[in-house]
Amino acid sequence: MSDTVNRPVGRRTFVLGSAAAAGTAALAGPLATSASAAGFGWSDDGSNYVVDTGASLIFKVSKTNGDLTSLVYKGTEYQGYGGKNSHIESGLGASTVTISQSGSTVLISVTYGTLKHYYAARSGENNVYLWTNKADTSVSATRYIVRVKAGLFLNDEPDSYTYAPTAIEASDVFEKSDGQTRSKHYSKLRVIDYDYIGWTTGSVGLYVVRSNHEKASGGPFYRSLLRHQSADGGGLYEILYYGENQTESQRFGLQGPYVIAFTDGGAPSSALYHGNLTTSWADSLGISGYVAASGRGKVAGVGISGRNTAFPYTVGLANSAAQYWGSARSSDGYFSIAGVLPGTYTLTVFKGELAVYTSSVTVTAGGTTTLNTIAVPSSNDPSNASAIWRIGDWNGSPSGFKNADLMTYAHPSDSRAASWTGNVVIGSGTETSAFPCYLWKDVNSGIIVYFKLTAAQAAAAHTLRIGVTTAYANGRPQVVVNDTWTSAVPSPPSQPSTRSLTVGSYRGNNYTFTYSVPASAWLTDTSAYNTLKIYVASGSGSTSFLSAGTSIDAIDLLT
């Protein structure tokens, strides 16, 4: 994992961060305390509970609805833009709000119907710890948003609205005068790639450190809202559930802690990161749905054989109640996933983002489930099949294809995007980089792949495979070979029903289409190029980049 860091002259901003940058954090990180925490405690100003952390942070929570109404760090107010507070979703409305203090911890509890939300402060820390327990669908709560005043941090990032005044799709994708696009959807990174999000001026940092997402949905490779900036301020998100291009049902239960952390400009302390944050001090606070470390278990695997060492491997655990993941060690595939709620999970081994192995594993409270070496069958990795030619790698993502990286933080119409049309010649050396990562019915359907066959190859039937990672409006490939043989229109696989390709996400359900091409379809002249035309079939969708489309993982012709 790597950080995406922008350091312009003058005011600076950290966009997103991972554990890789933790070692470079300034000494006075978010756990740094003041010389004295004598001011620690809380008071009541009539409308809000006022919490003094005894460090450099004082915050307020509304006694009426549980909104965070003030965040004052070193005398500067950071909370608020557009007259809005920081809160769950767009605000809960009238709630029951209580406060208590236990030694060095202050806890504010908010109850709104079946939803419970919590704020906690620790003596001498410039942090606000948050938990949210959504029990069912009776309350809409899919995010917590920290609303930050305008002008405090640099505002020209990929998800910034200020300099992109023209809406080009719905009311959430915008275009600048130079043709570059901006949207709050364009997070660029997957959940597995970051530990915190936020901004820094170089002397003040404001971040949201994410939770472990055990009750979120979508798995380790999911992308969702992270932050946005607009003319009247900015927002930092912790996503509790996000429906855009979602592959899983919503999970319920307690999520957290996630942390609002102020620093002296450096990255947040790694002690706050999900999985590293020791919350033993919260064990006795009475937080609804809270499970202490003693009530959790661990899964450890001694290794994974049958790996392609050119790719990273991730091990995921998932059931209807929770999700977890961990990276497999590159040398031998060793992995360890701690802090797991008791239960039976589907264990999935991912090569890149492609599932190549699944099994079942049971986790018990206080125990470690140790697994012997997992052997990935050769047939489970489509890359192991012998191919006449192949475009891309079978890794569950469109990485390496034309415009693939840009599409995680830009709209397909962005001025930085290379042309979405253009045909591909096998043997050119640019097969993958020249092939567009996405195909749309109304944009580049009918793209042509040129290739030659030997006499022996032309005399035999072959299987053509096209792997996809998601689809919009049931877009799926139909192929034509040499303008004489046309495949049937395949049935659409299960895919998310929302926008995907235009909001920075290719992560749907990986699926492989196979086509049995008869020998009669090939040209017998070995000096001539065969043609494969790939069309997008669907009766749904709109026009242009909202017409039916699909994202490509790999394409190959098997021997």
Side-chain angles (χ1 to χ4, degrees):
M1 297 184 291
S2 62
D3 294 329
T4 301
V5 179
N6 183 18
R7 295 179 180 272
V9 176
R11 184 171 290 141
R12 300 184 296 172
T13 176
F14 280 76
V15 183
L16 303 155
S18 72
T24 63
L27 291 177
L31 293 183
T33 62
S34 60
S36 171
F40 176 73
W42 65 274
S43 60
D44 184 338
D45 71 2
S47 300
N48 306 278
Y49 290 122
V50 183
V51 180
D52 188 333
T53 65
S56 300
L57 174 65
I58 298 174
F59 65 92
K60 298 181 181 181
V61 174
S62 168
K63 295 166 58 180
T64 302
N65 56 22
D67 282 4
L68 186 65
T69 60
S70 176
L71 274 173
V72 175
Y73 178 67
K74 293 185 177 180
T76 298
E77 176 66 77
Y78 286 82
Q79 153 58 39
Y81 68 79
K84 298 178 181 180
N85 297 321
S86 299
H87 42 216
I88 288 290
E89 200 62 17
S90 297
L92 295 177
S95 305
T96 300
V97 185
T98 60
I99 192 168
S100 61
Q101 182 171 343
S102 175
S104 59
T105 303
V106 168
L107 180 71
I108 297 175
S109 303
V110 182
T111 301
Y112 179 80
T114 61
L115 183 138
K116 298 182 184 299
H117 179 69
Y118 303 90
Y119 301 89
R122 296 279 288 165
S123 177
E125 295 184 13
N126 292 313
N127 305 314
V128 184
Y129 298 86
L130 302 95
W131 290 263
T132 304
N133 189 334
K134 182 179 179 181
D136 51 45
T137 59
S138 65
V139 177
S140 176
T142 58
R143 68 178 184 181
Y144 189 93
I145 179 170
V146 180
R147 301 185 186 272
V148 183
K149 292 174 64 175
L152 297 174
F153 299 100
L154 185 69
N155 186 10
D156 191 22
E157 295 301 326
D159 49 5
S160 171
Y161 294 1
T162 296
Y163 306 111
T166 304
I168 61 170
E169 183 175 302
S171 58
D172 55 13
V173 181
F174 301 85
E175 185 178 68
K176 295 171 60 176
S177 58
D178 62 2
Q180 291 191 17
T181 52
R182 299 288 189 265
S183 176
K184 63 183 179 181
H185 296 289
Y186 298 151
S187 63
K188 190 171 186 178
L189 298 186
R190 308 163 303 174
V191 177
I192 195 174
D193 295 327
Y194 73 95
D195 298 307
Y196 58 86
I197 56 172
W199 302 291
T200 180
T201 65
S203 59
V204 174
L206 171 55
Y207 302 92
V208 168
V209 182
R210 73 167 175 85
S211 69
N212 67 355
H213 279 217
E214 69 180 1
K215 295 292 185 178
S217 298
F221 313 120
Y222 189 66
R223 287 179 168 85
S224 64
L225 301 185
L226 293 181
R227 58 169 223 169
H228 76 269
Q229 290 175 289
S230 58
D232 55 356
L236 300 177
Y237 294 92
E238 167 71 348
I239 294 298
L240 308 175
Y241 175 78
Y242 191 50
E244 201 83 57
N245 207 38
Q246 181 58 256
T247 58
E248 294 183 302
S249 298
Q250 184 170 184
R251 293 182 172 94
F252 300 102
L254 184 69
Q255 297 202 55
Y258 48 103
V259 188
I260 302 170
F262 282 91
T263 77
D264 62 357
S269 167
S270 60
L272 294 177
Y273 298 166
H274 52 91
N276 294 329
L277 179 59
T278 299
T279 52
S280 56
W281 52 264
D283 290 355
S284 60
L285 295 179
I287 294 173
S288 175
Y290 182 92
V291 179
S294 60
R296 297 171 177 268
K298 179 180 179 180
V299 176
V302 299
I304 302 172
S305 65
R307 292 174 299 119
N308 182 333
T309 56
F311 298 90
Y313 281 70
T314 301
V315 179
L317 304 176
N319 61 22
S320 61
Q323 61 172 6
Y324 307 91
W325 54 83
S327 297
R329 192 161 61 193
S330 59
S331 60
D332 56 10
Y334 168 84
F335 63 91
S336 178
I337 305 172
V340 180
L341 292 172
T344 299
Y345 295 85
T346 297
L347 180 150
T348 304
V349 176
F350 297 94
K351 170 198 171 187
E353 299 184 21
L354 183 67
V356 293
Y357 177 89
T358 60
S359 65
S360 180
V361 63
T362 298
V363 179
T364 58
T368 297
T369 302
T370 302
L371 304 176
N372 294 325
T373 297
I374 294 173
V376 177
S378 177
S379 59
N380 285 15
D381 184 347
S383 296
N384 291 329
S386 180
I388 297 172
W389 54 259
R390 177 170 292 142
I391 302 174
D393 292 313
W394 289 95
N395 63 358
S397 80
S399 60
F401 285 87
K402 183 165 63 175
N403 294 326
D405 182 61
L406 179 66
M407 287 303 95
T408 62
Y409 60 94
H411 190 269
S413 66
D414 194 286
S415 59
R416 293 166 291 181
S419 172
W420 288 104
T421 57
N423 302 318
V424 174
V425 179
I426 299 298
S428 64
T430 60
E431 295 92 338
T432 302
S433 61
F435 198 100
C437 62
Y438 299 160
L439 299 177
W440 289 273
K441 185 176 183 179
D442 202 34
V443 176
N444 55 356
S445 182
I447 193 167
I448 304 174
V449 177
Y450 294 92
F451 59 98
K452 293 181 179 180
L453 297 176
T454 66
Q457 291 167 344
H462 297 290
T463 296
L464 173 75
R465 301 188 300 184
I466 300 178
V468 303
T469 70
T470 195
Y472 177 69
N474 286 330
R476 64 269 197 197
Q478 181 182 28
V479 301
V480 176
V481 176
N482 291 321
D483 293 323
T484 60
W485 183 85
T486 301
S487 73
V489 176
S491 298
S494 175
Q495 297 288 5
S497 59
T498 63
R499 288 180 299 169
S500 54
L501 309 180
T502 60
V503 290
S505 178
Y506 60 77
R507 177 71 282 128
N509 295 312
N510 289 311
Y511 186 83
T512 301
F513 294 92
T514 59
Y515 309 84
S516 298
V517 185
S520 59
W522 312 123
L523 300 180
T524 57
D525 182 355
T526 59
S527 65
Y529 280 101
N530 290 267
T531 60
L532 168 68
K533 295 182 180 179
I534 305 175
Y535 294 91
V536 176
S538 177
S540 304
S542 180
T543 59
S544 188
F545 297 111
L546 287 178
S547 63
T550 191
S551 170
I552 302 298
D553 178 12
I555 305 171
D556 58 19
L557 185 67
L558 302 186
T559 57

Short mmCIF file of all heavy atoms in Angstrom, two decimals, residues 477-525:
data_model
loop_
_atom_site.label_atom_id
_atom_site.label_comp_id
_atom_site.label_asym_id
_atom_site.label_seq_id
_atom_site.Cartn_x
_atom_site.Cartn_y
_atom_site.Cartn_z
N PRO A 477 -20.51 -8.71 -23.23
CA PRO A 477 -19.91 -8.78 -24.56
C PRO A 477 -20.53 -9.85 -25.46
O PRO A 477 -20.76 -10.98 -25.06
CB PRO A 477 -18.44 -9.13 -24.25
CG PRO A 477 -18.48 -9.81 -22.91
CD PRO A 477 -19.63 -9.23 -22.18
N GLN A 478 -20.78 -9.45 -26.68
CA GLN A 478 -21.14 -10.37 -27.76
C GLN A 478 -20.05 -10.23 -28.82
O GLN A 478 -19.58 -9.12 -29.09
CB GLN A 478 -22.49 -10.03 -28.37
CG GLN A 478 -22.91 -10.99 -29.48
CD GLN A 478 -24.24 -10.61 -30.11
OE1 GLN A 478 -24.61 -9.43 -30.13
NE2 GLN A 478 -24.96 -11.59 -30.64
N VAL A 479 -19.61 -11.35 -29.39
CA VAL A 479 -18.45 -11.28 -30.28
C VAL A 479 -18.79 -11.75 -31.69
O VAL A 479 -19.69 -12.57 -31.90
CB VAL A 479 -17.28 -12.12 -29.73
CG1 VAL A 479 -16.86 -11.62 -28.34
CG2 VAL A 479 -17.62 -13.61 -29.67
N VAL A 480 -18.04 -11.19 -32.63
CA VAL A 480 -18.14 -11.57 -34.04
C VAL A 480 -16.73 -11.88 -34.54
O VAL A 480 -15.81 -11.07 -34.37
CB VAL A 480 -18.78 -10.47 -34.89
CG1 VAL A 480 -18.78 -10.86 -36.37
CG2 VAL A 480 -20.19 -10.15 -34.41
N VAL A 481 -16.54 -13.05 -35.16
CA VAL A 481 -15.23 -13.46 -35.67
C VAL A 481 -15.24 -13.41 -37.19
O VAL A 481 -16.08 -14.05 -37.84
CB VAL A 481 -14.86 -14.88 -35.18
CG1 VAL A 481 -13.54 -15.33 -35.80
CG2 VAL A 481 -14.79 -14.91 -33.66
N ASN A 482 -14.33 -12.62 -37.74
CA ASN A 482 -14.13 -12.52 -39.19
C ASN A 482 -15.42 -12.20 -39.94
O ASN A 482 -15.59 -12.57 -41.12
CB ASN A 482 -13.52 -13.82 -39.73
CG ASN A 482 -12.08 -13.98 -39.26
OD1 ASN A 482 -11.34 -13.00 -39.19
ND2 ASN A 482 -11.70 -15.20 -38.93
N ASP A 483 -16.32 -11.52 -39.26
CA ASP A 483 -17.60 -11.08 -39.85
C ASP A 483 -18.45 -12.24 -40.37
O ASP A 483 -19.40 -12.04 -41.15
CB ASP A 483 -17.37 -10.08 -41.00
CG ASP A 483 -16.78 -8.77 -40.50
OD1 ASP A 483 -17.17 -8.33 -39.40
OD2 ASP A 483 -15.94 -8.20 -41.21
N THR A 484 -18.12 -13.47 -39.96
CA THR A 484 -18.88 -14.63 -40.43
C THR A 484 -19.51 -15.43 -39.30
O THR A 484 -20.52 -16.11 -39.52
CB THR A 484 -17.97 -15.58 -41.25
OG1 THR A 484 -16.90 -16.03 -40.41
CG2 THR A 484 -17.40 -14.87 -42.48
N TRP A 485 -18.90 -15.39 -38.13
CA TRP A 485 -19.43 -16.16 -37.00
C TRP A 485 -19.78 -15.21 -35.87
O TRP A 485 -18.94 -14.41 -35.43
CB TRP A 485 -18.41 -17.18 -36.51
CG TRP A 485 -18.92 -18.05 -35.38
CD1 TRP A 485 -19.65 -19.20 -35.51
CD2 TRP A 485 -18.77 -17.81 -33.98
NE1 TRP A 485 -19.97 -19.69 -34.26
CE2 TRP A 485 -19.42 -18.86 -33.30
CE3 TRP A 485 -18.14 -16.82 -33.24
CZ2 TRP A 485 -19.47 -18.94 -31.91
CZ3 TRP A 485 -18.18 -16.89 -31.86
CH2 TRP A 485 -18.84 -17.94 -31.19
N THR A 486 -21.01 -15.28 -35.39
CA THR A 486 -21.48 -14.39 -34.32
C THR A 486 -21.94 -15.24 -33.14
O THR A 486 -22.71 -16.19 -33.31
CB THR A 486 -22.65 -13.53 -34.81
OG1 THR A 486 -22.23 -12.76 -35.94
CG2 THR A 486 -23.13 -12.59 -33.71
N SER A 487 -21.48 -14.88 -31.98
CA SER A 487 -21.88 -15.61 -30.78
C SER A 487 -23.31 -15.27 -30.40
O SER A 487 -23.87 -14.25 -30.83
CB SER A 487 -20.96 -15.26 -29.61
OG SER A 487 -21.24 -13.95 -29.14
N ALA A 488 -23.88 -16.10 -29.59
CA ALA A 488 -25.17 -15.76 -29.00
C ALA A 488 -24.95 -14.63 -27.99
O ALA A 488 -23.85 -14.39 -27.51
CB ALA A 488 -25.76 -16.98 -28.30
N VAL A 489 -26.01 -13.92 -27.68
CA VAL A 489 -25.93 -12.89 -26.63
C VAL A 489 -25.97 -13.60 -25.29
O VAL A 489 -26.95 -14.28 -24.97
CB VAL A 489 -27.10 -11.89 -26.73
CG1 VAL A 489 -27.04 -10.89 -25.58
CG2 VAL A 489 -27.08 -11.18 -28.07
N PRO A 490 -24.91 -13.50 -24.49
CA PRO A 490 -24.90 -14.23 -23.22
C PRO A 490 -25.85 -13.62 -22.21
O PRO A 490 -26.21 -12.44 -22.30
CB PRO A 490 -23.44 -14.09 -22.76
CG PRO A 490 -22.97 -12.83 -23.40
CD PRO A 490 -23.67 -12.75 -24.73
N SER A 491 -26.26 -14.43 -21.28
CA SER A 491 -27.10 -13.92 -20.19
C SER A 491 -26.27 -13.02 -19.29
O SER A 491 -25.08 -13.28 -19.07
CB SER A 491 -27.68 -15.08 -19.39
OG SER A 491 -28.49 -15.90 -20.19
N PRO A 492 -26.87 -11.98 -18.74
CA PRO A 492 -26.09 -11.09 -17.86
C PRO A 492 -25.86 -11.73 -16.50
O PRO A 492 -26.78 -12.31 -15.92
CB PRO A 492 -26.99 -9.85 -17.74
CG PRO A 492 -28.37 -10.37 -17.95
CD PRO A 492 -28.24 -11.49 -18.95
N PRO A 493 -24.63 -11.68 -16.00
CA PRO A 493 -24.39 -12.18 -14.64
C PRO A 493 -24.90 -11.19 -13.61
O PRO A 493 -25.26 -10.05 -13.94
CB PRO A 493 -22.86 -12.27 -14.59
CG PRO A 493 -22.40 -11.19 -15.52
CD PRO A 493 -23.42 -11.16 -16.63
N SER A 494 -24.96 -11.61 -12.37
CA SER A 494 -25.39 -10.72 -11.30
C SER A 494 -24.36 -9.61 -11.09
O SER A 494 -23.18 -9.88 -10.86
CB SER A 494 -25.56 -11.52 -10.00
OG SER A 494 -25.87 -10.66 -8.92
N GLN A 495 -24.80 -8.38 -11.19
CA GLN A 495 -23.94 -7.22 -10.98
C GLN A 495 -24.73 -6.14 -10.24
O GLN A 495 -25.96 -6.14 -10.24
CB GLN A 495 -23.44 -6.66 -12.32
CG GLN A 495 -22.56 -7.60 -13.12
CD GLN A 495 -21.18 -7.78 -12.52
OE1 GLN A 495 -20.87 -7.28 -11.44
NE2 GLN A 495 -20.32 -8.52 -13.23
N PRO A 496 -24.03 -5.20 -9.61
CA PRO A 496 -24.74 -4.09 -8.95
C PRO A 496 -25.60 -3.34 -9.94
O PRO A 496 -25.29 -3.27 -11.14
CB PRO A 496 -23.59 -3.22 -8.43
CG PRO A 496 -22.43 -4.15 -8.29
CD PRO A 496 -22.57 -5.14 -9.40
N SER A 497 -26.67 -2.76 -9.44
CA SER A 497 -27.65 -2.10 -10.31
C SER A 497 -27.43 -0.59 -10.41
O SER A 497 -28.11 0.08 -11.19
CB SER A 497 -29.06 -2.37 -9.80
OG SER A 497 -29.22 -1.88 -8.48
N THR A 498 -26.49 -0.04 -9.66
CA THR A 498 -26.28 1.40 -9.66
C THR A 498 -25.20 1.79 -10.66
O THR A 498 -24.61 0.95 -11.34
CB THR A 498 -25.84 1.86 -8.27
OG1 THR A 498 -24.56 1.25 -7.97
CG2 THR A 498 -26.84 1.46 -7.21
N ARG A 499 -24.89 3.07 -10.71
CA ARG A 499 -23.76 3.53 -11.51
C ARG A 499 -22.47 2.90 -10.99
O ARG A 499 -22.35 2.57 -9.83
CB ARG A 499 -23.65 5.06 -11.44
CG ARG A 499 -24.70 5.82 -12.19
CD ARG A 499 -24.45 7.32 -12.04
NE ARG A 499 -24.53 7.74 -10.64
CZ ARG A 499 -24.16 8.94 -10.19
NH1 ARG A 499 -23.65 9.83 -11.02
NH2 ARG A 499 -24.27 9.24 -8.91
N SER A 500 -21.51 2.77 -11.88
CA SER A 500 -20.22 2.20 -11.49
C SER A 500 -19.10 2.85 -12.28
O SER A 500 -18.25 3.55 -11.72
CB SER A 500 -20.23 0.69 -11.71
OG SER A 500 -20.61 0.36 -13.05
N LEU A 501 -19.08 2.64 -13.58
CA LEU A 501 -17.97 3.06 -14.42
C LEU A 501 -17.76 4.57 -14.43
O LEU A 501 -16.65 5.04 -14.68
CB LEU A 501 -18.18 2.56 -15.85
CG LEU A 501 -18.51 1.07 -16.00
CD1 LEU A 501 -18.68 0.72 -17.47
CD2 LEU A 501 -17.44 0.21 -15.36
N THR A 502 -18.80 5.34 -14.15
CA THR A 502 -18.68 6.80 -14.18
C THR A 502 -18.45 7.40 -12.80
O THR A 502 -18.26 8.61 -12.68
CB THR A 502 -19.94 7.44 -14.80
OG1 THR A 502 -21.08 7.09 -14.02
CG2 THR A 502 -20.13 6.98 -16.23
N VAL A 503 -18.47 6.58 -11.77
CA VAL A 503 -18.27 7.11 -10.41
C VAL A 503 -17.04 6.48 -9.75
O VAL A 503 -16.97 6.34 -8.53
CB VAL A 503 -19.52 6.93 -9.53
CG1 VAL A 503 -20.64 7.84 -9.99
CG2 VAL A 503 -19.98 5.47 -9.51
N GLY A 504 -16.08 6.09 -10.57
CA GLY A 504 -14.79 5.68 -10.05
C GLY A 504 -14.68 4.25 -9.59
O GLY A 504 -13.74 3.91 -8.86
N SER A 505 -15.59 3.37 -10.00
CA SER A 505 -15.54 2.00 -9.49
C SER A 505 -15.71 0.96 -10.58
O SER A 505 -16.65 1.01 -11.37
CB SER A 505 -16.64 1.78 -8.44
OG SER A 505 -16.62 0.45 -7.98
N TYR A 506 -14.79 0.01 -10.61
CA TYR A 506 -14.91 -1.16 -11.47
C TYR A 506 -15.20 -2.41 -10.65
O TYR A 506 -15.31 -3.51 -11.17
CB TYR A 506 -13.61 -1.39 -12.25
CG TYR A 506 -12.39 -1.60 -11.37
CD1 TYR A 506 -12.16 -2.82 -10.73
CD2 TYR A 506 -11.48 -0.57 -11.16
CE1 TYR A 506 -11.06 -3.01 -9.91
CE2 TYR A 506 -10.37 -0.76 -10.34
CZ TYR A 506 -10.18 -1.97 -9.72
OH TYR A 506 -9.09 -2.16 -8.89
N ARG A 507 -15.33 -2.25 -9.32
CA ARG A 507 -15.42 -3.40 -8.43
C ARG A 507 -16.86 -3.91 -8.30
O ARG A 507 -17.63 -3.45 -7.49
CB ARG A 507 -14.88 -3.03 -7.04
CG ARG A 507 -14.95 -4.08 -5.96
CD ARG A 507 -14.00 -5.24 -6.14
NE ARG A 507 -14.48 -6.21 -7.12
CZ ARG A 507 -13.74 -6.64 -8.13
NH1 ARG A 507 -12.52 -6.18 -8.33
NH2 ARG A 507 -14.23 -7.52 -8.97
N GLY A 508 -17.21 -4.83 -9.17
CA GLY A 508 -18.48 -5.52 -9.07
C GLY A 508 -18.23 -6.98 -8.77
O GLY A 508 -17.46 -7.33 -7.88
N ASN A 509 -18.87 -7.86 -9.52
CA ASN A 509 -18.65 -9.30 -9.39
C ASN A 509 -17.86 -9.81 -10.59
O ASN A 509 -18.31 -9.71 -11.73
CB ASN A 509 -19.99 -10.04 -9.31
CG ASN A 509 -20.77 -9.67 -8.06
OD1 ASN A 509 -20.23 -9.68 -6.96
ND2 ASN A 509 -22.05 -9.35 -8.23
N ASN A 510 -16.66 -10.31 -10.32
CA ASN A 510 -15.86 -10.86 -11.42
C ASN A 510 -16.59 -12.02 -12.08
O ASN A 510 -17.15 -12.88 -11.40
CB ASN A 510 -14.50 -11.33 -10.89
CG ASN A 510 -13.61 -10.17 -10.49
OD1 ASN A 510 -13.45 -9.22 -11.25
ND2 ASN A 510 -13.05 -10.24 -9.31
N TYR A 511 -16.56 -12.02 -13.40
CA TYR A 511 -17.26 -13.06 -14.16
C TYR A 511 -16.52 -13.30 -15.47
O TYR A 511 -15.99 -12.37 -16.09
CB TYR A 511 -18.71 -12.63 -14.45
CG TYR A 511 -19.54 -13.70 -15.10
CD1 TYR A 511 -20.15 -14.69 -14.35
CD2 TYR A 511 -19.70 -13.72 -16.49
CE1 TYR A 511 -20.91 -15.68 -14.96
CE2 TYR A 511 -20.45 -14.71 -17.11
CZ TYR A 511 -21.05 -15.69 -16.33
OH TYR A 511 -21.80 -16.68 -16.93
N THR A 512 -16.50 -14.56 -15.90
CA THR A 512 -15.84 -14.92 -17.15
C THR A 512 -16.85 -15.43 -18.17
O THR A 512 -17.58 -16.39 -17.91
CB THR A 512 -14.77 -16.00 -16.93
OG1 THR A 512 -13.80 -15.52 -16.00
CG2 THR A 512 -14.08 -16.35 -18.24
N PHE A 513 -16.91 -14.76 -19.31
CA PHE A 513 -17.73 -15.21 -20.44
C PHE A 513 -16.87 -16.12 -21.32
O PHE A 513 -15.72 -15.79 -21.62
CB PHE A 513 -18.21 -14.02 -21.27
CG PHE A 513 -19.18 -13.11 -20.55
CD1 PHE A 513 -18.70 -12.00 -19.85
CD2 PHE A 513 -20.54 -13.35 -20.57
CE1 PHE A 513 -19.59 -11.15 -19.19
CE2 PHE A 513 -21.43 -12.50 -19.91
CZ PHE A 513 -20.94 -11.40 -19.22
N THR A 514 -17.42 -17.24 -21.73
CA THR A 514 -16.69 -18.15 -22.62
C THR A 514 -17.47 -18.36 -23.91
O THR A 514 -18.71 -18.44 -23.90
CB THR A 514 -16.45 -19.51 -21.94
OG1 THR A 514 -17.70 -20.11 -21.59
CG2 THR A 514 -15.60 -19.35 -20.69
N TYR A 515 -16.75 -18.43 -25.01
CA TYR A 515 -17.35 -18.58 -26.33
C TYR A 515 -16.62 -19.71 -27.05
O TYR A 515 -15.38 -19.68 -27.18
CB TYR A 515 -17.21 -17.29 -27.14
CG TYR A 515 -17.67 -16.05 -26.40
CD1 TYR A 515 -16.80 -15.40 -25.52
CD2 TYR A 515 -18.95 -15.53 -26.56
CE1 TYR A 515 -17.20 -14.27 -24.84
CE2 TYR A 515 -19.36 -14.40 -25.88
CZ TYR A 515 -18.48 -13.77 -25.02
OH TYR A 515 -18.88 -12.65 -24.34
N SER A 516 -17.34 -20.70 -27.50
CA SER A 516 -16.75 -21.81 -28.26
C SER A 516 -16.78 -21.46 -29.75
O SER A 516 -17.85 -21.47 -30.38
CB SER A 516 -17.54 -23.10 -28.00
OG SER A 516 -17.47 -23.45 -26.63
N VAL A 517 -15.63 -21.13 -30.26
CA VAL A 517 -15.55 -20.67 -31.66
C VAL A 517 -15.15 -21.86 -32.53
O VAL A 517 -14.09 -22.47 -32.31
CB VAL A 517 -14.52 -19.54 -31.80
CG1 VAL A 517 -14.54 -19.01 -33.24
CG2 VAL A 517 -14.82 -18.42 -30.81
N PRO A 518 -15.95 -22.21 -33.51
CA PRO A 518 -15.65 -23.38 -34.36
C PRO A 518 -14.48 -23.10 -35.29
O PRO A 518 -14.17 -21.95 -35.62
CB PRO A 518 -16.94 -23.59 -35.14
CG PRO A 518 -17.54 -22.22 -35.22
CD PRO A 518 -17.22 -21.55 -33.92
N ALA A 519 -13.84 -24.17 -35.75
CA ALA A 519 -12.69 -24.03 -36.66
C ALA A 519 -13.09 -23.33 -37.96
O ALA A 519 -12.27 -22.64 -38.58
CB ALA A 519 -12.11 -25.41 -36.98
N SER A 520 -14.35 -23.49 -38.34
CA SER A 520 -14.81 -22.88 -39.60
C SER A 520 -14.80 -21.36 -39.55
O SER A 520 -14.89 -20.69 -40.60
CB SER A 520 -16.23 -23.38 -39.92
OG SER A 520 -17.12 -23.04 -38.86
N ALA A 521 -14.69 -20.79 -38.37
CA ALA A 521 -14.71 -19.33 -38.25
C ALA A 521 -13.37 -18.69 -38.59
O ALA A 521 -13.30 -17.50 -38.92
CB ALA A 521 -15.11 -18.93 -36.83
N TRP A 522 -12.26 -19.49 -38.54
CA TRP A 522 -10.93 -18.91 -38.72
C TRP A 522 -10.54 -18.79 -40.19
O TRP A 522 -11.00 -19.56 -41.04
CB TRP A 522 -9.88 -19.75 -38.00
CG TRP A 522 -10.21 -20.12 -36.59
CD1 TRP A 522 -10.29 -21.37 -36.07
CD2 TRP A 522 -10.50 -19.22 -35.52
NE1 TRP A 522 -10.62 -21.32 -34.74
CE2 TRP A 522 -10.75 -20.00 -34.36
CE3 TRP A 522 -10.57 -17.84 -35.41
CZ2 TRP A 522 -11.07 -19.45 -33.13
CZ3 TRP A 522 -10.89 -17.27 -34.17
CH2 TRP A 522 -11.13 -18.07 -33.05
N LEU A 523 -9.64 -17.85 -40.47
CA LEU A 523 -9.08 -17.72 -41.81
C LEU A 523 -8.00 -18.78 -42.01
O LEU A 523 -7.19 -19.04 -41.11
CB LEU A 523 -8.45 -16.33 -42.00
CG LEU A 523 -9.38 -15.13 -41.85
CD1 LEU A 523 -8.60 -13.84 -42.08
CD2 LEU A 523 -10.56 -15.21 -42.82
N THR A 524 -7.99 -19.40 -43.15
CA THR A 524 -6.97 -20.44 -43.42
C THR A 524 -5.68 -19.84 -43.95
O THR A 524 -4.64 -20.52 -43.95
CB THR A 524 -7.52 -21.45 -44.42
OG1 THR A 524 -7.92 -20.77 -45.62
CG2 THR A 524 -8.71 -22.20 -43.83
N ASP A 525 -5.71 -18.60 -44.38
CA ASP A 525 -4.51 -17.91 -44.85
C ASP A 525 -3.72 -17.45 -43.62
O ASP A 525 -4.12 -16.53 -42.91
CB ASP A 525 -4.91 -16.72 -45.70
CG ASP A 525 -3.71 -15.96 -46.27
OD1 ASP A 525 -2.55 -16.31 -45.91
OD2 ASP A 525 -3.91 -15.01 -47.04
#
